[in-house]
Amino acid sequence: MKTLALFCAALLTSAVAHAETLNTAAPLGVELGKTTCARMPSGPNRTKTGTSPWAGGDTIEIRNLERFKLPGLTKATVNCDQHDTVALVTLNFDRSAMDDVVRQLDARYESKRKTDANAENGYAEWAAANGGIEMLYARDGKALVVAYWAKGAKAKYFSYSATRDKQPPAAVTPQGQL
């Protein structure tokens, strides 16, 4: 009986660890929010292409895409923040790979929302334990982009509704009410 309880505990621990691994985003083996750009040596397969103006760290393009065995992958870019931590991994795919990409993302991550198939521009979003994933494409476009954001990075660098220089509008009281 004691052996059975230990086996069940080990099995449960293994299942939880496996579930967490499935929900952790590490595109191209680069874990979001943990891997540093310094660990990605430059060379013929990884080329520093500049500094990310929005995050303040290195921007690295990965050149040898065949080794990742992702059909339709045409470009891979890694953006690090000012602390040298991976903030964003962007993968560009040929549009013909869309069904396969969506199927893989649906199998691995929790789907948050998807636009209607007939929308002018397509958008889909998934959640990961260490960030979020977005897919963007134009309905008649030849490519699609999958962006893997480290947890909190998109909100930190691209808060669309926030303004630094402007004050919020004054409250308006409707006429006739106190």
Side-chain angles (χ1 to χ4, degrees), residues 53-122:
W54 51 269
D58 290 340
T59 298
I60 298 170
E61 185 175 338
I62 299 175
R63 306 255 183 211
N64 183 6
L65 302 175
E66 295 81 30
R67 69 188 183 127
F68 298 113
K69 296 179 179 33
L70 293 170
L73 182 63
T74 59
K75 184 176 181 181
T77 307
V78 177
N79 289 280
C80 286
D81 64 15
Q82 66 274 18
H83 303 291
D84 198 41
T85 306
V86 174
L88 171 67
V89 175
T90 307
L91 305 177
N92 296 41
F93 288 91
D94 183 77
R95 180 66 182 267
S96 63
M98 184 169 155
D99 290 339
D100 189 42
V101 169
V102 170
R103 191 172 25 263
Q104 288 183 32
L105 290 170
D106 280 342
R108 186 168 178 146
Y109 305 106
E110 177 189 352
S111 179
K112 289 294 191 184
R113 77 180 166 121
K114 296 178 182 174
T115 58
D116 179 64
N118 295 322
E120 193 65 32
N121 292 310

Side-chain angles (χ1 to χ4, degrees), residues 8 11 27 39 52 71 78 102 105 120 132 138 140 142 146 156 161 167:
C8 289
L11 185 61
R39 290 187 57 205
S52 173
V78 177
V102 170
L105 290 170
E120 193 65 32
D140 297 328
K142 296 179 182 179
V146 177
K156 180 178 180 180
S161 62
Q167 294 293 327

Side-chain angles (χ1 to χ4, degrees), residues 16 19 49 62 71 91 130 135 144 156:
V16 169
T49 57
I62 299 175
L91 305 177
N130 60 341
M135 183 175 69
L144 63 105
K156 180 178 180 180

Side-chain angles (χ1 to χ4, degrees), residues 25 43 119 145:
V145 176

Side-chain angles (χ1 to χ4, degrees), residues 156-172:
K156 180 178 180 180
Y157 298 114
F158 294 99
S159 54
Y160 299 111
S161 62
T163 56
R164 292 183 185 172
D165 299 333
K166 297 180 182 177
Q167 294 293 327
V172 177

